[in-house]
Amino acid sequence: MTRFLDARVSINATSTNSISVPIPVINTPTLFAQIGLITAGTGPNPRVQLKGTITVQLPLALFIVRVTIVRGTLATDPIIYSANSTYGLSGILAPEIITFSANDFNPPITPQLTYSAFISTNLLGTVRVGPENFDGFLVSD
């Protein structure tokens, strides 16, 4: 039987245009969320489910946004999920909402599993505008 162990959430912005945070450097991951899941009582077959949303206002150009989730605190830690989205002129008319869902099966069990969410883009002028959230939970057998 599956056993629930922990759940956490990181919420930076709850509504559209509630923040205005520029992504300052091109092609460089910028942290936008982080959670830690306590692993006490973990049995066999641990599984982590992660999901989130980040919304960006885009500059007037064709460009790529990359969302990366890692197990750890640094952009160079093991990647759990990574996806690129290419946007054009539609992104300047209204914010682009990016949603994601990731899983980590049988992660190495330490007292706490930390997951970090990063965003990067290949063009200056991208601004995080909200909503923005990241959450996850840990279960095992």
Side-chain angles (χ1 to χ4, degrees):
M1 175 184 286
T2 301
R3 182 172 22 158
F4 170 81
L5 297 164
D6 196 14
R8 302 294 165 124
V9 65
S10 170
I11 300 174
N12 294 330
T14 59
S15 60
T16 302
N17 294 320
S18 58
I19 60 174
S20 180
V21 181
I23 297 175
V25 182
I26 62 171
N27 297 320
T28 302
T30 300
L31 181 70
F32 72 89
Q34 192 171 74
I35 59 171
L37 299 169
I38 305 302
T39 62
T42 301
N45 304 313
R47 301 170 302 281
V48 176
Q49 170 71 47
L50 304 160
K51 62 182 176 55
T53 299
I54 185 167
T55 306
V56 294
Q57 186 71 52
L58 311 174
L60 180 60
L62 179 69
F63 76 107
I64 298 170
V65 173
R66 179 180 182 94
V67 173
T68 305
I69 311 301
V70 301
R71 184 187 323 111
T73 59
L74 304 173
T76 54
D77 284 331
I79 295 174
I80 302 305
Y81 170 90
S82 181
N84 291 342
S85 296
T86 302
Y87 298 98
L89 296 179
S90 65
I92 64 167
L93 301 175
E96 293 285 349
I97 301 170
I98 302 165
T99 61
F100 55 89
S101 178
N103 298 289
D104 192 10
F105 291 96
N106 291 317
I109 297 303
T110 57
Q112 175 177 288
L113 291 171
T114 301
Y115 292 90
S116 303
F118 295 88
I119 188 167
S120 61
T121 181
N122 67 339
L123 190 64
L124 287 177
T126 307
V127 180
R128 297 167 35 210
V129 295
E132 202 169 278
N133 67 65
F134 179 55
D135 62 83
F137 64 89
L138 170 65
V139 298
S140 72
D141 293 340

